[in-house]
Amino acid sequence: MPVPSWYHLHEEWFNKIPSDHERLESLMQIALHALKTEDDDLSSRFALGTARGFASTYHPHYNQGVGSLFETALAYTVFKAWLPVAPVGWEAAYPSNLAQKADLVVRDASGNAQWVFEMKWWQNNHAKTLNVLRDDLDKLRTWSPAEERFLLAIWYGRRSDYGKDREAMLAGCEQFNQVTPIYLGSFATDIAAYRQVGGGYFAVGLVRVL
């Protein structure tokens, strides 16, 4: 397993999808760069606030990067990055249940759903977390027709635990039926709990849902 240098973006691919894989690869690279750009922007704004004497107003356990954002904000960041390069929808309604929304939907040339994505925080493999993820997997399977369905799994951790966390994600995939890990991207970020122990990282994993 390649160990991230944490000075650069780190990416690895576990499997390929049957068709249009190069396009998916490009979109995931764009997504990772967009999330890193958002992380850099948040970090610089916290630093500017600190320089202006506002640090005392920040909660000591507040992550000063994308580790502080909700799934919807992170999905919106990816949506903005994909807009110039793909026909993409954000918070798109499920055809079978208009009250349910998919975080991201990439469409083909005819306007049909090609790839459907749900983004979810996956911080651990506890039973409660896996049950929540399982609900999203079941939800994804109800979007029909679609060429592919994906879970965008996001989490953060301590940099020295990256290898262990990576294996935990792969092991977690084995707890579900008919899912395949496809991609993992990561970069260094500020995580309050790890500032004094080597720093934190943020990761986004792509899991194919059959």
Side-chain angles (χ1 to χ4, degrees), residues 26-177:
S26 175
L27 287 181
M28 290 309 301
Q29 290 171 344
I30 290 169
L32 188 67
H33 278 265
L35 291 167
K36 179 64 169 75
T37 298
E38 180 66 18
D39 187 79
D40 289 342
D41 182 63
L42 276 171
S43 178
S44 66
R45 290 172 187 272
F46 272 108
L48 183 59
T50 298
R52 291 177 175 175
F54 305 150
S56 62
T57 68
Y58 303 152
H59 194 286
H61 302 300
Y62 203 84
N63 302 327
Q64 296 184 10
V66 291
S68 64
L69 299 181
F70 291 108
E71 294 155 1
T72 302
L74 293 167
Y76 178 61
T77 298
V78 175
F79 167 67
K80 288 193 297 181
W82 284 355
L83 268 176
V85 296
V88 59
W90 176 57
E91 291 290 303
Y94 274 72
S96 60
N97 185 346
L98 299 182
Q100 289 187 318
K101 308 296 182 183
D103 288 320
L104 297 160
V105 177
V106 173
R107 301 188 180 276
D108 61 21
S110 300
N112 300 314
Q114 181 180 15
W115 299 330
V116 182
F117 302 82
E118 292 286 359
M119 181 175 278
K120 208 72 179 176
W121 279 106
W122 187 352
Q123 280 297 119
N124 54 61
N125 283 340
H126 298 164
K128 182 178 180 179
T129 302
L130 295 180
N131 285 337
V132 170
L133 290 169
R134 191 173 286 109
D135 288 344
D136 264 41
L137 299 180
D138 291 341
K139 176 185 171 185
L140 270 167
R141 293 186 176 106
T142 68
W143 188 299
S144 182
E147 185 176 310
E148 298 283 0
R149 302 163 186 84
F150 300 100
L151 176 71
L152 278 168
I154 48 177
W155 74 88
Y156 59 77
R158 184 166 57 185
R159 293 177 201 174
S160 59
D161 289 339
Y162 174 82
K164 181 179 68 175
D165 296 342
R166 172 187 179 275
E167 294 306 311
M169 186 273 286
L170 296 175
C173 287
E174 295 178 1
Q175 303 298 312
F176 305 118
N177 294 323

